[in-house]
Amino acid sequence: MGAHPTPIDSQCFLVPKAGSLRGECEDATHLTSSPDGHSVFAAVSDGASESLLSGAWARKLVRGAVASMAAADDRRHDTENGGAGSFVEDLLARTVDQWDGYIAEYQAERAARGRPITWYEQPGLDKGAFATLVAVHLRAAAAAPEDPAAPRPWTWHAFALGDSCLFHLREGRLIASFPIADGEGFGITPQLLGSRNRDAALITDRASTATGELRADDELLLATDALAAWLLSHPELASGGTGKQLGKLADLGEETFTEWVLSERDKSRMRNDDVALIRMRVKTEG
């Protein structure tokens, strides 16, 4: 076990808003790990329903963010060491710079189905799509020279724009909430990343970064705003009850998690919006 970090368990969930099919969900998740297992990369995005093709843009953003973090890891360069601008530049090259190509393919596909773009859709295409983003890179610490066989802890480095959130839980209790710290932080106009916005300096200035350290059994949650607001509206999160409840639901699988989301909506305890969740847990040694 000496040369390897403690494994990370992970789960991804998507629940569309009531009345929508899964394929119509405008939230997106993406998660992968490095070939050596020493890094994990994850991202969630919430497409803004007011913009055309926001779900497609959210899916491009999460894949672009994960690829950009992996590229930065290859360069041993992260957002906590002055690399936020470099990360944004790489992200825009993988997403914004590719958007016109995607739109051309979309228009051709619509025309082939006999449903060409209408005059009232064109302004939306010209304006672009918009979405929030939170992305995290989990990195295993270097082996200790004095004890190379000792378990290797993990650190996390996160980037966020908008109201999709990261939560760091320990025994179900909230250790960190990023970039929003309480339920009052959710408004109707979050910061958004647009598919036509190539201003890397502006995006970097509006974004936030954070970092932390993980112990055995710690969890990181990436959640879009409806679930994030639900979590921060429950004071039991401070004592661990809500965090443990959510973890148990996730362990029971996607069907149980979806049923719970639907129940919370029916009881008016969660806003009827798409829900995306990535849960990552540091496994216990032994």
Side-chain angles (χ1 to χ4, degrees):
M1 192 68 203
H4 300 285
T6 307
I8 299 286
D9 276 341
S10 60
Q11 299 152 304
C12 298
F13 302 93
L14 278 176
V15 184
K17 61 178 67 72
S20 296
L21 301 175
R22 184 179 178 87
E24 298 170 325
C25 184
E26 293 170 324
D27 286 2
T29 67
H30 191 52
L31 179 144
T32 191
S33 58
S34 61
D36 61 9
H38 291 185
S39 283
V40 177
F41 313 99
V44 303
S45 177
D46 180 0
S49 299
E50 298 78 13
S51 60
L52 196 62
L53 299 177
S54 61
W57 175 236
R59 290 187 289 273
K60 285 190 175 295
L61 274 181
V62 292
R63 291 186 174 275
V66 163
S68 293
M69 288 187 295
D73 190 40
D74 288 341
R75 299 190 300 268
R76 297 295 184 263
H77 193 22
D78 61 63
T79 57
E80 292 302 308
N81 293 324
S86 177
F87 168 79
V88 170
E89 280 283 2
D90 193 78
L91 175 62
L92 297 185
R94 297 174 188 273
T95 56
V96 173
D97 290 356
Q98 309 301 319
W99 188 246
D100 282 342
Y102 170 79
I103 291 298
E105 293 176 1
Y106 174 75
Q107 290 174 312
E109 186 269 337
R110 284 277 300 268
R113 289 193 288 119
R115 297 184 61 242
I117 301 300
T118 62
W119 63 268
Y120 56 83
E121 289 176 302
Q122 192 60 51
L125 290 183
D126 294 340
K127 185 178 180 180
F130 297 85
T132 66
L133 175 68
V134 61
V136 68
H137 173 192
L138 281 67
R139 179 185 295 159
E146 67 277 9
D147 188 5
R152 297 170 59 178
W154 293 83
T155 59
W156 58 264
H157 304 274
F159 170 96
L161 184 68
D163 56 9
S164 290
C165 293
L166 174 148
F167 300 97
H168 179 179
L169 305 180
R170 181 168 297 151
E171 296 181 353
R173 294 179 294 107
L174 184 65
I175 300 298
S177 175
F178 165 78
I180 295 176
D182 57 60
E184 301 300 316
F186 296 91
I188 59 174
T189 56
Q191 294 285 350
L192 299 170
L193 204 163
S195 62
R196 302 290 187 191
N197 188 352
R198 197 59 184 78
D199 191 339
L202 178 64
I203 294 167
T204 303
D205 183 62
R206 291 178 174 176
S208 303
T209 60
T211 189
E213 297 183 357
L214 295 169
R215 300 178 185 173
D217 268 344
D218 279 10
E219 298 178 44
L220 282 186
L221 310 178
L222 299 185
T224 47
D225 62 329
L227 179 58
W230 180 91
L231 277 164
L232 288 176
S233 70
H234 284 71
E236 314 93 90
L237 189 60
S239 60
T242 302
K244 290 178 181 177
Q245 175 193 2
L246 191 60
K248 290 176 181 177
L249 286 164
D251 284 338
L252 290 172
E254 185 168 14
E255 183 176 349
T256 298
F257 178 78
T258 299
E259 290 174 353
W260 171 77
V261 169
L262 297 178
S263 174
E264 290 300 288
R265 288 173 181 166
D266 288 343
K267 296 171 184 175
S268 299
R269 294 198 292 232
M270 186 182 298
R271 187 161 46 85
N272 180 26
D273 195 6
D274 297 327
V275 167
L277 170 67
I278 296 180
R279 178 187 181 225
M280 294 164 283
R281 183 178 65 85
V282 182
K283 293 180 67 174
T284 305
E285 291 285 332

